[in-house]
Amino acid sequence: LQSAAFLAVDSQRRVIYFVDDYRRIRAVNLTTFILFTIGGNGSFIISPDGVFANETGINFVQGLALDPINNIIYYSDSSAHLIRKIEL
């Protein structure tokens, strides 16, 4: 987690974070220690709404928020002037 930013922990014991070097929102399960990508494909190219979260690019995340009741992640991409929602 050397370049990780904007950490959050959900009710299923997953640490969710943004990795700036790889342009991805990732998670690690603290029970199984399995690491997986939630959003971002590593590019700067933003896709339109409605595509899968791991099929779009992420530019510069400036915030990450978690709604643990509804299992939703919100993040702000300041370069694209967007707030995106990812349903887990």
Side-chain angles (χ1 to χ4, degrees):
L1 300 178
Q2 223 169 6
S3 64
F6 307 109
L7 295 167
V9 180
D10 71 4
S11 61
Q12 297 180 15
R13 296 184 38 87
R14 294 179 293 201
V15 175
I16 299 164
Y17 59 95
F18 174 66
V19 184
D20 191 44
D21 294 347
Y22 300 108
R23 302 277 167 233
R24 289 181 168 87
I25 296 173
R26 307 209 69 194
V28 60
N29 184 307
L30 295 177
T31 304
T32 63
F33 298 105
I34 294 175
L35 180 70
F36 55 97
T37 299
I38 293 174
N41 62 10
S43 77
F44 291 97
I45 300 169
I46 303 298
S47 299
D49 290 342
V51 301
F52 290 110
N54 59 358
E55 293 177 357
T56 188
I58 298 175
N59 289 320
F60 298 102
V61 170
Q62 292 297 307
L64 184 82
L66 177 66
D67 176 352
I69 295 170
N70 297 312
N71 242 1
I72 297 174
I73 296 171
Y74 296 94
Y75 72 91
S76 63
D77 189 326
S78 65
S79 179
H81 308 289
L82 295 171
I83 296 176
R84 294 277 183 144
K85 175 175 98 170
I86 301 172
E87 297 179 19
L88 298 175

Coordinates of all heavy atoms in Angstrom, one line a residue:
L1 N 0.8 -1.2 0.0 CA 0.0 0.0 0.0 C 0.9 1.3 0.0 O 0.5 2.3 0.5 CB -0.9 0.0 1.2 CG -1.9 -1.2 1.3 CD1 -2.7 -1.0 2.6 CD2 -2.8 -1.2 0.2
Q2 N 2.0 1.2 -0.6 CA 3.0 2.3 -0.6 C 2.4 3.6 -1.2 O 2.6 4.7 -0.7 CB 4.3 1.9 -1.3 CG 5.5 2.4 -0.5 CD 6.7 1.7 -1.1 OE1 6.7 1.0 -2.1 NE2 7.8 1.9 -0.5
S3 N 1.7 3.5 -2.3 CA 1.2 4.6 -3.0 C -0.3 4.8 -2.8 O -1.0 5.5 -3.6 CB 1.6 4.6 -4.5 OG 0.9 3.5 -5.1
A4 N -0.9 4.1 -1.8 CA -2.3 4.1 -1.6 C -2.7 5.4 -1.0 O -2.0 6.0 -0.2 CB -2.7 3.0 -0.7
A5 N -3.9 5.9 -1.3 CA -4.5 7.1 -0.7 C -6.0 6.9 -0.5 O -6.6 6.0 -1.2 CB -4.3 8.3 -1.7
F6 N -6.6 7.6 0.4 CA -8.0 7.6 0.6 C -8.5 6.2 1.0 O -9.3 5.6 0.3 CB -8.8 8.1 -0.6 CG -8.3 9.5 -1.1 CD1 -7.6 9.6 -2.3 CD2 -8.5 10.6 -0.4 CE1 -7.2 10.8 -2.8 CE2 -8.1 11.8 -0.8 CZ -7.4 11.9 -2.0
L7 N -8.0 5.8 2.2 CA -8.4 4.5 2.7 C -9.8 4.5 3.3 O -10.2 5.5 4.0 CB -7.4 4.0 3.7 CG -6.0 3.8 3.3 CD1 -5.1 3.7 4.4 CD2 -5.9 2.6 2.4
A8 N -10.5 3.4 3.2 CA -11.8 3.2 3.9 C -11.9 1.7 4.2 O -11.4 0.9 3.5 CB -13.0 3.6 2.9
V9 N -12.6 1.4 5.3 CA -12.9 0.0 5.7 C -14.4 -0.2 5.7 O -15.1 0.6 6.3 CB -12.2 -0.3 7.0 CG1 -12.5 -1.7 7.4 CG2 -10.7 0.0 7.0
D10 N -14.8 -1.3 5.0 CA -16.3 -1.5 5.0 C -16.7 -2.6 6.0 O -15.8 -3.1 6.7 CB -16.7 -1.9 3.6 CG -16.3 -3.2 3.1 OD1 -15.7 -4.0 3.9 OD2 -16.6 -3.6 1.9
S11 N -17.9 -2.9 6.1 CA -18.5 -3.9 7.1 C -18.0 -5.3 6.8 O -18.2 -6.2 7.7 CB -20.0 -3.8 7.1 OG -20.5 -4.1 5.9
Q12 N -17.5 -5.6 5.6 CA -17.1 -6.9 5.3 C -15.6 -7.1 5.5 O -15.0 -8.0 4.9 CB -17.5 -7.3 3.9 CG -19.0 -7.3 3.7 CD -19.5 -7.7 2.3 OE1 -18.7 -8.1 1.5 NE2 -20.7 -7.4 2.0
R13 N -15.0 -6.2 6.2 CA -13.6 -6.2 6.5 C -12.7 -6.1 5.3 O -11.7 -6.8 5.1 CB -13.2 -7.5 7.4 CG -13.8 -7.5 8.7 CD -13.4 -8.7 9.6 NE -12.0 -9.1 9.5 CZ -11.0 -8.5 10.2 NH1 -11.3 -7.6 11.1 NH2 -9.8 -9.0 10.1
R14 N -13.1 -5.2 4.4 CA -12.3 -4.9 3.2 C -11.7 -3.5 3.4 O -12.5 -2.6 3.7 CB -13.1 -5.0 1.9 CG -13.6 -6.4 1.6 CD -14.5 -6.4 0.4 NE -15.7 -5.6 0.6 CZ -16.8 -5.7 -0.1 NH1 -16.9 -6.6 -1.1 NH2 -17.9 -5.0 0.2
V15 N -10.4 -3.4 3.1 CA -9.8 -2.0 3.0 C -9.9 -1.6 1.6 O -9.4 -2.3 0.7 CB -8.4 -2.1 3.5 CG1 -7.7 -0.7 3.3 CG2 -8.3 -2.5 5.0
I16 N -10.5 -0.5 1.3 CA -10.7 0.1 0.0 C -9.8 1.3 -0.1 O -9.8 2.2 0.7 CB -12.2 0.4 -0.2 CG1 -13.0 -0.9 -0.1 CG2 -12.4 1.0 -1.6 CD1 -14.5 -0.7 0.1
Y17 N -9.1 1.4 -1.2 CA -8.2 2.5 -1.4 C -7.9 2.8 -2.9 O -8.2 1.9 -3.7 CB -6.8 2.2 -0.7 CG -6.2 0.9 -1.2 CD1 -5.2 1.0 -2.2 CD2 -6.5 -0.4 -0.7 CE1 -4.6 -0.2 -2.7 CE2 -5.9 -1.5 -1.2 CZ -5.0 -1.4 -2.2 OH -4.4 -2.5 -2.7
F18 N -7.4 4.0 -3.1 CA -7.0 4.4 -4.5 C -5.5 4.2 -4.6 O -4.8 4.7 -3.8 CB -7.4 5.8 -4.8 CG -7.0 6.4 -6.1 CD1 -7.5 5.8 -7.2 CD2 -6.0 7.4 -6.1 CE1 -7.0 6.3 -8.5 CE2 -5.6 7.9 -7.3 CZ -6.1 7.3 -8.5
V19 N -5.1 3.6 -5.8 CA -3.7 3.5 -6.0 C -3.3 4.4 -7.2 O -3.7 4.2 -8.3 CB -3.3 2.0 -6.5 CG1 -1.8 1.9 -6.7 CG2 -3.8 1.0 -5.4
D20 N -2.7 5.5 -6.8 CA -2.4 6.6 -7.8 C -1.5 6.1 -9.0 O -1.7 6.4 -10.1 CB -1.7 7.7 -7.1 CG -1.6 9.0 -8.0 OD1 -2.6 9.3 -8.6 OD2 -0.5 9.6 -8.0
D21 N -0.5 5.3 -8.6 CA 0.4 4.8 -9.7 C -0.3 3.9 -10.7 O 0.2 3.9 -11.9 CB 1.6 4.0 -9.1 CG 2.5 4.8 -8.2 OD1 2.4 6.1 -8.2 OD2 3.2 4.2 -7.4
Y22 N -1.3 3.2 -10.4 CA -2.0 2.3 -11.3 C -3.4 2.8 -11.7 O -4.0 2.1 -12.5 CB -2.1 0.9 -10.6 CG -0.8 0.3 -10.3 CD1 -0.3 0.2 -9.0 CD2 0.1 -0.1 -11.3 CE1 0.9 -0.3 -8.7 CE2 1.3 -0.6 -11.0 CZ 1.7 -0.7 -9.7 OH 3.0 -1.2 -9.4
R23 N -3.8 3.9 -11.2 CA -5.1 4.5 -11.6 C -6.3 3.5 -11.4 O -7.1 3.3 -12.2 CB -5.1 4.9 -13.1 CG -4.1 5.9 -13.4 CD -4.6 7.3 -13.0 NE -3.5 8.2 -13.0 CZ -3.2 9.0 -12.0 NH1 -3.9 9.0 -10.9 NH2 -2.2 9.9 -12.1
R24 N -6.3 2.9 -10.2 CA -7.3 2.0 -9.8 C -7.8 2.1 -8.4 O -7.0 2.5 -7.5 CB -6.8 0.5 -10.0 CG -6.5 0.1 -11.4 CD -6.1 -1.3 -11.5 NE -6.1 -1.8 -12.9 CZ -5.1 -1.6 -13.8 NH1 -4.1 -1.0 -13.5 NH2 -5.3 -2.1 -15.0
I25 N -9.0 1.8 -8.2 CA -9.5 1.7 -6.8 C -9.5 0.2 -6.5 O -10.1 -0.6 -7.2 CB -11.0 2.2 -6.7 CG1 -10.9 3.7 -7.0 CG2 -11.5 2.0 -5.3 CD1 -12.3 4.4 -7.0
R26 N -8.8 -0.2 -5.4 CA -8.6 -1.6 -5.1 C -9.1 -1.9 -3.7 O -9.4 -1.0 -2.9 CB -7.1 -1.9 -5.2 CG -6.5 -1.5 -6.6 CD -5.4 -2.3 -7.0 NE -5.9 -3.6 -7.4 CZ -5.0 -4.6 -7.6 NH1 -3.7 -4.4 -7.4 NH2 -5.4 -5.8 -7.9
A27 N -9.2 -3.1 -3.4 CA -9.6 -3.6 -2.0 C -8.8 -4.8 -1.7 O -8.4 -5.6 -2.5 CB -11.1 -3.9 -2.0
V28 N -8.6 -4.9 -0.4 CA -8.0 -6.2 0.1 C -8.9 -6.7 1.3 O -9.3 -5.9 2.1 CB -6.5 -5.9 0.6 CG1 -6.5 -4.9 1.7 CG2 -5.9 -7.3 1.1
N29 N -9.3 -7.9 1.2 CA -10.1 -8.5 2.2 C -9.2 -8.9 3.4 O -8.2 -9.6 3.2 CB -10.7 -9.8 1.6 CG -11.7 -10.4 2.6 OD1 -11.3 -10.7 3.7 ND2 -12.9 -10.7 2.1
L30 N -9.5 -8.3 4.6 CA -8.7 -8.5 5.7 C -8.8 -9.9 6.4 O -8.0 -10.3 7.2 CB -9.0 -7.5 6.8 CG -8.6 -6.0 6.4 CD1 -9.0 -5.1 7.5 CD2 -7.2 -5.9 6.0
T31 N -9.8 -10.7 5.9 CA -9.9 -12.1 6.4 C -9.2 -13.0 5.5 O -8.4 -13.9 6.0 CB -11.4 -12.5 6.4 OG1 -12.1 -11.5 7.2 CG2 -11.6 -13.9 7.0
T32 N -9.3 -12.9 4.2 CA -8.6 -13.8 3.3 C -7.3 -13.3 2.7 O -6.6 -14.0 2.1 CB -9.5 -14.1 2.1 OG1 -9.8 -12.9 1.4 CG2 -10.8 -14.7 2.6
F33 N -7.1 -12.0 2.8 CA -5.9 -11.2 2.3 C -5.9 -11.3 0.7 O -4.9 -11.2 0.1 CB -4.6 -11.7 2.8 CG -4.5 -11.5 4.3 CD1 -4.7 -12.6 5.2 CD2 -4.3 -10.2 4.8 CE1 -4.6 -12.4 6.6 CE2 -4.3 -10.0 6.2 CZ -4.4 -11.1 7.1
I34 N -7.1 -11.5 0.1 CA -7.2 -11.4 -1.3 C -7.3 -10.0 -1.8 O -8.2 -9.2 -1.2 CB -8.4 -12.3 -1.8 CG1 -8.2 -13.7 -1.5 CG2 -8.6 -12.0 -3.3 CD1 -9.3 -14.6 -1.8
L35 N -6.6 -9.6 -2.8 CA -6.5 -8.2 -3.3 C -7.3 -8.2 -4.6 O -7.1 -9.1 -5.4 CB -5.1 -7.8 -3.5 CG -4.8 -6.5 -4.1 CD1 -5.1 -5.4 -3.1 CD2 -3.3 -6.4 -4.5
F36 N -8.1 -7.2 -4.9 CA -8.9 -7.2 -6.1 C -9.2 -5.7 -6.5 O -9.1 -4.8 -5.7 CB -10.2 -8.0 -6.0 CG -11.1 -7.6 -4.9 CD1 -12.1 -6.8 -5.1 CD2 -10.9 -8.2 -3.6 CE1 -13.0 -6.4 -4.0 CE2 -11.7 -7.8 -2.6 CZ -12.8 -7.0 -2.8
T37 N -9.4 -5.5 -7.8 CA -9.7 -4.2 -8.3 C -11.2 -4.0 -8.3 O -11.9 -4.8 -8.8 CB -9.1 -4.1 -9.8 OG1 -7.7 -4.3 -9.7 CG2 -9.4 -2.7 -10.4
I38 N -11.6 -2.8 -7.8 CA -13.0 -2.4 -7.8 C -13.3 -1.5 -9.0 O -14.4 -1.6 -9.6 CB -13.3 -1.7 -6.5 CG1 -13.2 -2.7 -5.4 CG2 -14.7 -1.1 -6.6 CD1 -13.4 -2.1 -4.0
G39 N -12.4 -0.6 -9.3 CA -12.7 0.3 -10.4 C -11.4 0.8 -11.0 O -10.3 0.8 -10.4
G40 N -11.5 1.2 -12.3 CA -10.3 1.8 -13.0 C -9.6 0.7 -13.8 O -9.6 -0.4 -13.4
N41 N -9.2 1.1 -15.0 CA -8.5 0.2 -15.9 C -7.0 0.6 -16.1 O -6.4 0.0 -17.0 CB -9.2 0.1 -17.2 CG -9.3 1.4 -18.0 OD1 -8.6 2.4 -17.6 ND2 -10.1 1.4 -19.0
G42 N -6.5 1.6 -15.4 CA -5.2 2.0 -15.5 C -4.9 3.1 -16.5 O -3.8 3.6 -16.6
S43 N -5.9 3.6 -17.2 CA -5.8 4.6 -18.1 C -6.4 5.9 -17.6 O -7.1 6.0 -16.6 CB -6.4 4.3 -19.5 OG -7.8 4.4 -19.4
F44 N -6.2 7.0 -18.3 CA -6.7 8.3 -18.0 C -8.0 8.6 -18.8 O -8.7 9.6 -18.7 CB -5.8 9.4 -18.4 CG -4.6 9.5 -17.5 CD1 -3.4 8.9 -17.8 CD2 -4.6 10.1 -16.2 CE1 -2.3 8.9 -17.0 CE2 -3.5 10.2 -15.4 CZ -2.4 9.6 -15.8
I45 N -8.4 7.6 -19.7 CA -9.5 7.8 -20.6 C -10.8 7.5 -19.9 O -11.1 6.4 -19.5 CB -9.4 7.0 -21.9 CG1 -8.1 7.4 -22.6 CG2 -10.6 7.1 -22.8 CD1 -7.7 6.5 -23.7
I46 N -11.7 8.5 -19.7 CA -12.9 8.3 -19.0 C -14.0 7.8 -19.9 O -14.2 8.3 -21.0 CB -13.4 9.7 -18.4 CG1 -12.3 10.3 -17.5 CG2 -14.7 9.6 -17.6 CD1 -11.9 9.5 -16.3
S47 N -14.7 6.8 -19.4 CA -15.8 6.2 -20.2 C -17.1 6.9 -19.7 O -17.2 7.4 -18.7 CB -15.9 4.7 -19.9 OG -14.7 4.1 -20.3
P48 N -18.2 6.7 -20.6 CA -19.5 7.3 -20.2 C -20.1 6.5 -19.0 O -19.7 5.4 -18.7 CB -20.3 7.2 -21.5 CG -19.7 6.1 -22.2 CD -18.2 6.1 -21.9
D49 N -21.1 7.1 -18.4 CA -21.8 6.4 -17.4 C -22.4 5.1 -17.9 O -22.8 5.0 -19.1 CB -23.0 7.3 -16.8 CG -22.5 8.5 -16.1 OD1 -21.3 8.5 -15.6 OD2 -23.2 9.5 -15.9
G50 N -22.6 4.2 -17.0 CA -23.2 2.9 -17.4 C -22.3 1.8 -17.7 O -22.7 0.6 -17.8
V51 N -21.0 2.0 -17.9 CA -20.0 0.9 -18.1 C -19.6 0.4 -16.8 O -19.7 1.0 -15.7 CB -18.8 1.4 -18.9 CG1 -19.2 1.9 -20.3 CG2 -18.0 2.4 -18.2
F52 N -19.0 -0.8 -16.8 CA -18.5 -1.4 -15.6 C -17.4 -0.6 -15.0 O -16.6 0.0 -15.8 CB -18.0 -2.9 -15.8 CG -19.1 -3.8 -16.1 CD1 -19.3 -4.3 -17.4 CD2 -20.0 -4.2 -15.1 CE1 -20.3 -5.2 -17.6 CE2 -21.0 -5.1 -15.3 CZ -21.2 -5.6 -16.6
A53 N -17.3 -0.5 -13.7 CA -16.3 0.4 -13.0 C -14.9 0.0 -13.4 O -14.0 0.9 -13.5 CB -16.5 0.3 -11.5
N54 N -14.6 -1.2 -13.7 CA -13.2 -1.6 -14.0 C -12.9 -1.4 -15.5 O -11.8 -1.8 -16.0 CB -12.8 -3.0 -13.5 CG -13.7 -4.1 -14.1 OD1 -14.7 -3.8 -14.9 ND2 -13.5 -5.3 -13.8
E55 N -13.8 -0.9 -16.3 CA -13.6 -0.6 -17.7 C -13.4 0.9 -18.0 O -13.3 1.2 -19.2 CB -14.8 -1.1 -18.5 CG -15.0 -2.6 -18.5 CD -16.2 -3.1 -19.2 OE1 -17.0 -2.3 -19.7 OE2 -16.4 -4.3 -19.3
T56 N -13.4 1.7 -17.0 CA -13.2 3.1 -17.2 C -11.9 3.6 -16.6 O -11.3 3.0 -15.7 CB -14.4 4.0 -16.6 OG1 -14.2 5.3 -17.0 CG2 -14.4 3.9 -15.1
G57 N -11.3 4.7 -17.1 CA -10.1 5.3 -16.6 C -10.4 6.2 -15.4 O -11.6 6.6 -15.2
I58 N -9.4 6.4 -14.6 CA -9.5 7.3 -13.5 C -8.4 8.2 -13.5 O -7.2 7.8 -13.6 CB -9.5 6.5 -12.1 CG1 -10.7 5.5 -12.0 CG2 -9.5 7.5 -10.9 CD1 -10.7 4.6 -10.8
N59 N -8.7 9.5 -13.4 CA -7.6 10.5 -13.5 C -7.0 10.8 -12.2 O -6.0 10.2 -11.8 CB -8.1 11.8 -14.2 CG -8.3 11.6 -15.7 OD1 -7.5 10.9 -16.3 ND2 -9.4 12.2 -16.2
F60 N -7.6 11.8 -11.5 CA -7.0 12.2 -10.2 C -8.1 12.2 -9.1 O -8.9 13.1 -9.0 CB -6.5 13.6 -10.3 CG -5.3 13.7 -11.3 CD1 -5.6 14.2 -12.6 CD2 -4.1 13.2 -11.0 CE1 -4.5 14.3 -13.5 CE2 -3.0 13.3 -11.9 CZ -3.3 13.8 -13.2
V61 N -8.1 11.1 -8.3 CA -9.0 11.0 -7.2 C -8.7 12.0 -6.1 O -7.6 12.0 -5.7 CB -9.0 9.5 -6.7 CG1 -9.8 9.4 -5.4 CG2 -9.6 8.6 -7.7
Q62 N -9.7 12.7 -5.7 CA -9.5 13.7 -4.6 C -10.3 13.3 -3.4 O -10.2 14.0 -2.4 CB -9.9 15.1 -5.1 CG -9.0 15.6 -6.2 CD -7.6 15.8 -5.7 OE1 -7.4 16.5 -4.6 NE2 -6.6 15.3 -6.3
G63 N -11.0 12.3 -3.5 CA -11.8 11.8 -2.3 C -12.4 10.5 -2.6 O -12.7 10.1 -3.7
L64 N -12.6 9.7 -1.5 CA -13.2 8.4 -1.6 C -14.1 8.3 -0.4 O -13.7 8.6 0.8 CB -12.1 7.3 -1.5 CG -12.5 5.9 -1.7 CD1 -12.7 5.6 -3.2 CD2 -11.4 5.0 -1.1
A65 N -15.4 7.9 -0.6 CA -16.3 7.7 0.5 C -17.1 6.4 0.4 O -17.3 5.9 -0.7 CB -17.3 8.9 0.5
L66 N -17.4 5.9 1.5 CA -18.1 4.6 1.5 C -19.4 4.7 2.2 O -19.5 5.3 3.3 CB -17.2 3.6 2.3 CG -17.7 2.2 2.5 CD1 -17.8 1.4 1.1 CD2 -16.7 1.4 3.4
D67 N -20.4 4.1 1.6 CA -21.7 4.0 2.2 C -21.9 2.5 2.6 O -22.2 1.7 1.8 CB -22.8 4.4 1.2 CG -24.2 4.1 1.7 OD1 -24.4 3.5 2.8 OD2 -25.2 4.5 1.0
P68 N -21.6 2.2 3.8 CA -21.5 0.8 4.2 C -22.9 0.1 4.3 O -23.0 -1.1 4.1 CB -20.9 0.8 5.6 CG -21.2 2.2 6.2 CD -21.2 3.1 4.9
I69 N -23.9 0.8 4.5 CA -25.3 0.2 4.5 C -25.7 -0.3 3.1 O -26.2 -1.4 3.0 CB -26.3 1.3 5.1 CG1 -25.9 1.6 6.5 CG2 -27.7 0.7 5.0 CD1 -26.7 2.7 7.1
N70 N -25.4 0.5 2.1 CA -25.8 0.2 0.8 C -24.7 -0.4 -0.1 O -24.9 -0.7 -1.2 CB -26.4 1.4 0.0 CG -27.7 1.9 0.7 OD1 -28.6 1.1 1.0 ND2 -27.7 3.2 1.0
N71 N -23.5 -0.6 0.5 CA -22.4 -1.2 -0.2 C -22.0 -0.4 -1.4 O -21.9 -1.0 -2.5 CB -22.6 -2.6 -0.5 CG -21.6 -3.6 0.2 OD1 -20.8 -3.1 0.9 ND2 -21.8 -4.8 -0.1
I72 N -21.9 0.9 -1.3 CA -21.6 1.8 -2.4 C -20.3 2.6 -2.1 O -20.2 3.1 -1.0 CB -22.8 2.7 -2.7 CG1 -24.0 1.9 -3.1 CG2 -22.4 3.7 -3.8 CD1 -25.2 2.7 -3.3
I73 N -19.5 2.8 -3.1 CA -18.3 3.7 -3.0 C -18.6 4.9 -3.9 O -19.0 4.7 -5.0 CB -17.0 2.9 -3.5 CG1 -16.7 1.7 -2.6 CG2 -15.9 3.9 -3.6 CD1 -15.6 0.9 -3.2
Y74 N -18.2 6.0 -3.4 CA -18.3 7.2 -4.2 C -16.8 7.8 -4.2 O -16.1 7.7 -3.3 CB -19.1 8.3 -3.5 CG -20.6 8.0 -3.4 CD1 -21.1 7.3 -2.2 CD2 -21.5 8.2 -4.4 CE1 -22.4 7.0 -2.1 CE2 -22.8 7.9 -4.3 CZ -23.3 7.3 -3.2 OH -24.6 7.0 -3.1
Y75 N -16.4 8.3 -5.4 CA -15.1 8.9 -5.5 C -15.2 10.1 -6.4 O -16.1 10.2 -7.3 CB -14.1 7.9 -6.0 CG -14.1 7.5 -7.4 CD1 -13.5 8.3 -8.4 CD2 -14.9 6.4 -7.9 CE1 -13.5 7.9 -9.8 CE2 -14.9 6.1 -9.2 CZ -14.2 6.8 -10.1 OH -14.3 6.4 -11.4
S76 N -14.4 11.1 -6.1 CA -14.4 12.3 -7.0 C -13.1 12.3 -7.8 O -12.0 12.0 -7.4 CB -14.4 13.6 -6.1 OG -13.2 13.6 -5.3
D77 N -13.3 12.6 -9.1 CA -12.2 12.7 -10.0 C -12.1 14.1 -10.4 O -12.9 14.7 -11.2 CB -12.5 11.8 -11.3 CG -11.3 11.7 -12.2 OD1 -10.5 12.6 -12.3 OD2 -11.2 10.6 -12.8
S78 N -11.1 14.8 -9.8 CA -11.0 16.3 -10.0 C -10.6 16.7 -11.4 O -11.1 17.7 -11.9 CB -10.0 16.9 -9.0 OG -8.7 16.4 -9.3
S79 N -9.9 15.9 -12.1 CA -9.5 16.2 -13.5 C -10.6 16.1 -14.4 O -10.8 16.9 -15.4 CB -8.3 15.3 -13.9 OG -7.9 15.6 -15.2
A80 N -11.5 15.1 -14.2 CA -12.6 14.9 -15.1 C -13.9 15.6 -14.6 O -14.9 15.6 -15.3 CB -12.9 13.4 -15.2
H81 N -13.8 16.3 -13.4 CA -14.9 17.0 -12.8 C -16.1 16.1 -12.7 O -17.2 16.5 -13.0 CB -15.3 18.2 -13.7 CG -14.1 19.1 -14.0 ND1 -13.5 19.9 -13.0 CD2 -13.4 19.3 -15.1 CE1 -12.5 20.6 -13.6 NE2 -12.4 20.2 -14.9
L82 N -15.9 14.9 -12.1 CA -16.9 14.0 -11.9 C -17.0 13.5 -10.4 O -15.9 13.4 -9.8 CB -16.7 12.7 -12.8 CG -16.7 12.9 -14.3 CD1 -16.3 11.6 -14.9 CD2 -18.1 13.2 -14.7
I83 N -18.1 13.1 -10.0 CA -18.3 12.2 -8.8 C -18.9 10.9 -9.3 O -20.0 11.0 -10.0 CB -19.2 12.9 -7.8 CG1 -18.5 14.2 -7.2 CG2 -19.4 11.9 -6.6 CD1 -19.3 14.9 -6.3
R84 N -18.2 9.8 -9.1 CA -18.7 8.5 -9.6 C -19.2 7.7 -8.4 O -18.7 7.8 -7.3 CB -17.6 7.8 -10.3 CG -17.1 8.5 -11.6 CD -18.0 8.1 -12.7 NE -17.6 8.7 -14.0 CZ -17.7 8.1 -15.1 NH1 -18.2 6.9 -15.2 NH2 -17.3 8.7 -16.2
K85 N -20.1 6.7 -8.8 CA -20.6 5.8 -7.8 C -20.3 4.4 -8.3 O -20.5 4.1 -9.5 CB -22.1 6.0 -7.7 CG -22.8 5.0 -6.8 CD -24.3 5.4 -6.6 CE -25.1 4.6 -7.6 NZ -26.6 4.7 -7.3
I86 N -19.8 3.5 -7.4 CA -19.6 2.1 -7.7 C -20.3 1.3 -6.7 O -20.2 1.4 -5.5 CB -18.1 1.8 -7.6 CG1 -17.2 2.7 -8.5 CG2 -17.8 0.3 -7.9 CD1 -15.7 2.5 -8.3
E87 N -21.2 0.4 -7.2 CA -22.0 -0.5 -6.4 C -21.2 -1.8 -6.2 O -20.8 -2.4 -7.2 CB -23.3 -0.7 -7.0 CG -24.2 0.5 -7.0 CD -25.6 0.3 -7.6 OE1 -26.0 -0.9 -7.7 OE2 -26.2 1.2 -8.1
L88 N -20.9 -2.1 -5.0 CA -20.1 -3.3 -4.8 C -21.0 -4.6 -4.8 O -22.1 -4.6 -4.6 CB -19.4 -3.3 -3.4 CG -18.5 -2.1 -3.2 CD1 -18.0 -2.1 -1.8 CD2 -17.3 -2.3 -4.2

